[in-house]
Amino acid sequence: MRKVFTLTLLLILILTISAQANEINIGSCIYRFNDAFMLRFRNAMTEQSDKLGAKITMADGQDDQTTQDAQIDEFISNGVNVLIVNPVDRMASQAIIDKAKAANIPVVFINREPTPEMLASYEKAYYVGAKAEESGTQSGELIATYFKTHPEADKNHDGKLQFILLKGQNGHQDMILRSKYSVEAIKNAGIEPVEIASAIANWDKLQAMNIMNAFAMSIGPENIEAVIANNDEMALGAVEALKANDYNKGDKDLYIPVVGVDANASALEAMDKGEMLGTVLNDSDNQGAAAVKLAVALANGSDINSTGYEITDGKYIWIPYQKVTRGENK
Amino acid sequence: MAENKSKRLFTIAGLVILALGIVLYFAKAPLGLNRKIYDLPIFLIIIGVCFALKGFMAKPVVNELNKVSFGEFLTNNAILLAMLVLVVVICILQPRFMQIRVALDILTQSSTKLIMALGICFTLLIAGTDLSAGRMVGLAAVVSASMMQTATYANRFFPDLPQVQVWLPIVIAIVACMIFGALNGFLVAKYDMHPFIATLAVQVIIYGACSLYFDMPPNNSQPIGGIRADFAQLGQMRLFSGAFKGFPGISILIPIAIVICIVIWFILNKTVFGKNVYAIGGNREAAVVAGINVFRNIMGIFILASCLYGIAGVLEAARTAGATNNYGNGYELDAIAACVVGGVSLNGGIGKVGGIIMGVLIFTIIQYGLQFINVSPMWQQVIKGVIIAVAVAIDLTKYRRK
């Protein structure tokens, strides 16, 4: 009796192992589940995996690199075929690459980009994402176009653009690049940008609202010609603060163009109401799909150029951003 | 005779400031100072009247022992004086600070913080603490906002929810907080757990529960937006706006906070429950011997406190016309710090509503002022920490002296 039991158990074990061997197992580490952008990203990845018949398991890094490192170890010991990693701290990616390299598992980074040196240290390390500077460039272009087509936007008639910059979490790559390139784009459009104030609002609506309120008081909304926010939540916080100061409520003379990045539902609604000028869409659906397609190709050992996406420098898939405006600004 | 001297000093100083204010009020337009001193004259008039009244109404000091030397006066009020110096510096650096609308804005931002602080002061009065306060704000914000979206919004939390009455989600949100408040109270009262640990545990539970709620499909952790105008009005409405030229109006949050202040003052000073709170905080054993039902009172304290956090959370959601589960993160520490600066003792039994109002105002003015002149947020943190340390140090020396 006992022998039969042991044998059956062994048989089941072998069967499951062989079944696993046939199926592609993707282990995906997300920096934090509770993030609207990563959520859309995750949904896109799940959808694509289902389409390709791969199994994807996701782990919530809870915004803590130590937690994420442990999750990567767990995935590797569980025998995943490929890793998709959204690092908590992009500068800590080397340790992740080393782990993947030691286990000879391909790794695809998403959303937060490791340095080129890190990616170069392992032939099976890739990155799928958007060029962060592009989001900055496009939001700057939105403002520049508005400024050119609306002469009244130059409130003090000096030909320069006096703007306020609301920045994301300090040290975040998106925050650095978006801040830099949005201003650069205005310059490239032939307008001289003048930063009257800037502040870190940690991607947060509430903080942005309080900060913008203080700016509206200290600088005076009549002296602000544009608000550039690193993301939509902060842009919406600025909009709420401006509304509290009777700006952006429909009166043409009391309007400050506000731009963000992300194109979330609240931002689209604010744009429909004319409270917000525009936003830039980070195409998470496309990125999620590309990451999974690349991961599956890597796990199968098939040609990565067959995914339908252009591979740049043998390491990168770049998904372009898209400008979003509504109503008359379209 | 000294008390008469100080009385006279206050009255005279008040009248001088008042006179200066009136003179400046009429002189500022002809002298072209409108854009240099803004509403300073009106502030001077208000300050002058307050000083003069204080001098006039001050009770004569009977007990000689209560007399304080000038040096002691300085140390006892160091934080307040530091704030005044800061305000003067800010006014010089950025004269726009001297506007009525800035003062009103500071009061508006103080309102929700004050409601939080009044809640947390109950738990401090029994020598406890409440670390779950901030997360309760987040819970109330998310719960109320989730049911208050416009029918046309693209990304509704409950796609099929009819347009419910405004009060309903508010009550649900506050009751949700009170359930967790009851859990706090139960853990502390029944198992004699230290409130630090009990509320820490509940804090984590609330955040988890709130995140689960927030992550429910179809919302899936997206920031809640598309808030109905009638709900947003609760936090954004302005009373008497445009009553005279350029008057921005008084945010509805200010009268709400004042009403809550009065209610809490009444509860603390005029009810048996309030007396019990002080008694339990002052000496728990004595309170038990005196026949006070400690279990019931502690439950009451935590439930009442959570009710106030719930109100604060609903108001935050209305004010920002949105919510995420990260709302209120760290608020409890700000509220505790404001209470401590306002003279609430962490050893329990000591603390007044007036002091808490002062503490919250001092904190908000400093924070707002630093933001106003665009001081780096890192420096703001450093300064905030120093204020807390100095405030507690002064407080403790005061008691030691006694």
Side-chain angles (χ1 to χ4, degrees), chain A residues 32-36 39-40 42-43 170 196-200 204-206 209-211 213-223 233 236 240 243-246 264-267 269 273, chain B residues 35 94 96 99 101-102 105 109 150 152-155 207 211 214-215 219-227 236 238 316 319-322 324-328 331 368 371-372 374 377-378:
Chain A
R32 184 161 66 96
F33 271 12
N34 169 25
D35 175 304
L39 179 92
R40 291 202 296 264
R42 273 159 51 204
N43 289 343
N170 202 6
I196 27 178
S198 73
I200 291 171
D204 187 77
K205 184 175 184 181
L206 199 82
M209 180 175 168
N210 287 340
I211 289 168
N213 219 349
F215 283 152
M217 298 285 173
S218 62
I219 296 158
E222 70 277 9
N223 300 320
E233 278 295 290
L236 290 165
E240 288 302 330
K243 276 161 69 187
N245 284 285
D246 292 321
N264 71 27
S266 316
E269 200 207 17
K273 285 197 215 153
Chain B
R35 289 265 158 241
Q94 179 54 274
R96 278 174 168 272
Q99 289 180 92
R101 57 165 64 229
V102 170
D105 209 38
Q109 289 198 11
T150 50
T152 53
Y153 187 61
N155 194 33
Y207 182 57
S211 299
F214 192 59
D215 196 38
N219 191 61
N220 294 326
S221 294
Q222 297 199 52
I224 300 173
I227 299 300
Q236 298 180 343
R238 280 167 191 270
E316 283 292 66
R319 188 168 75 93
T320 57
T324 68
N325 59 343
N326 252 348
Y327 268 42
Y331 276 28
Y368 191 94
Q371 185 62 56
F372 207 85
N374 215 358
M378 294 137 204

Side-chain angles (χ1 to χ4, degrees), chain A residues 80-84 100 103-108 122 124-126 295 298-299:
Chain A
V80 296
N81 313 105
V82 56
L83 285 166
I84 297 179
N104 195 28
I105 298 172
V107 55
V108 177
Y122 179 34
K124 288 182 191 166
Y126 296 85
L298 287 167

Side-chain angles (χ1 to χ4, degrees), chain A residues 44-56 285 289 292-293 296 309:
Chain A
M45 288 204 295
T46 316
E47 207 173 290
Q48 190 63 39
S49 309
D50 289 348
K51 247 186 231 166
L52 298 178
K55 185 176 165 247
I56 189 162
D285 293 352
V292 170
K293 278 184 189 164
V296 169
Y309 294 94

Side-chain angles (χ1 to χ4, degrees), chain A residues 155-319:
Chain A
K155 296 193 171 88
N156 57 359
H157 310 291
D158 65 349
K160 297 173 192 167
L161 179 80
Q162 275 79 16
F163 70 94
I164 282 179
L165 189 59
L166 294 175
K167 298 193 261 191
Q169 187 195 342
N170 202 6
H172 194 293
Q173 195 202 12
D174 279 344
M175 166 267 194
I176 298 166
L177 292 175
R178 284 175 192 173
S179 303
K180 183 174 165 215
Y181 283 91
S182 53
V183 180
E184 208 108 289
I186 296 170
K187 234 181 265 171
N188 291 341
I191 303 163
E192 186 182 331
V194 182
E195 182 185 298
I196 27 178
S198 73
I200 291 171
N202 293 315
W203 315 113
D204 187 77
K205 184 175 184 181
L206 199 82
Q207 286 184 36
M209 180 175 168
N210 287 340
I211 289 168
M212 191 60 211
N213 219 349
F215 283 152
M217 298 285 173
S218 62
I219 296 158
E222 70 277 9
N223 300 320
I224 303 169
E225 293 176 349
V227 178
I228 301 169
N230 283 169
N231 78 341
D232 278 346
E233 278 295 290
M234 293 193 291
L236 290 165
V239 165
E240 288 302 330
L242 291 176
K243 276 161 69 187
N245 284 285
D246 292 321
Y247 268 71
N248 291 29
K249 286 170 112 175
D251 187 336
K252 283 265 163 233
D253 296 327
L254 299 175
Y255 179 76
I256 298 172
V258 180
V259 290
V261 175
D262 285 343
N264 71 27
S266 316
L268 296 179
E269 200 207 17
M271 282 155 56
D272 282 333
K273 285 197 215 153
E275 297 167 352
M276 192 172 147
L277 175 66
T279 182
V280 181
L281 173 69
N282 191 352
D283 196 347
S284 52
D285 293 352
N286 217 347
Q287 287 177 45
V292 170
K293 278 184 189 164
L294 178 63
V296 169
L298 287 167
N300 280 336
S302 54
D303 181 14
I304 54 169
N305 288 307
S306 65
T307 51
Y309 294 94
E310 189 194 337
I311 311 270
T312 314
D313 301 334
K315 288 276 177 198
Y316 300 93
I317 293 179
W318 295 117
I319 308 291

Side-chain angles (χ1 to χ4, degrees), chain A residues 12-28:
Chain A
I12 292 170
L13 208 71
I14 292 167
L15 275 174
T16 31
I17 290 171
S18 56
Q20 265 178 352
N22 290 332
E23 195 182 27
I24 291 173
N25 233 328
I26 306 173
S28 177

Side-chain angles (χ1 to χ4, degrees), chain B residues 106-269:
Chain B
I106 289 173
L107 288 178
T108 310
Q109 289 198 11
S110 306
S111 301
T112 40
K113 291 183 189 171
L114 180 58
I115 296 170
M116 294 277 307
L118 288 172
I120 227 161
C121 89
F122 279 89
T123 66
L124 296 178
L125 280 173
I126 55 161
T129 187
D130 192 346
L131 298 180
S132 63
R135 290 307 184 189
M136 287 206 200
V137 168
L139 178 72
V142 167
V143 170
S144 57
S146 67
M147 295 176 214
M148 280 279 111
Q149 290 173 304
T150 50
T152 53
Y153 187 61
N155 194 33
R156 291 190 77 196
F157 199 95
F158 297 111
D160 303 320
L161 189 77
Q163 299 290 290
V164 291
Q165 296 269 322
V166 176
W167 59 266
L168 184 68
I170 296 175
V171 170
I172 294 174
I174 293 174
V175 168
C177 286
M178 286 165 84
I179 291 170
F180 284 108
L183 179 59
N184 271 333
F186 183 75
L187 291 175
V188 172
K190 170 88 182 174
Y191 299 106
D192 222 2
M193 245 187 233
H194 193 284
F196 189 93
I197 293 302
T199 59
L200 176 66
V202 174
Q203 175 204 54
V204 180
I205 296 172
I206 295 173
Y207 182 57
C210 181
S211 299
L212 283 173
Y213 181 77
F214 192 59
D215 196 38
M216 279 191 332
N219 191 61
N220 294 326
S221 294
Q222 297 199 52
I224 300 173
I227 299 300
R228 272 162 55 184
D230 50 352
F231 178 64
Q233 280 298 313
L234 256 180
Q236 298 180 343
M237 190 158 68
R238 280 167 191 270
L239 310 167
F240 313 115
S241 72
F244 50 86
K245 194 179 155 289
F247 187 63
I250 296 167
S251 164
I252 186 150
L253 294 175
I254 299 172
I256 292 177
I258 291 173
V259 168
I260 290 177
C261 273
I262 294 170
V263 171
I264 296 299
W265 180 87
F266 186 82
I267 291 176
L268 273 178
N269 294 292

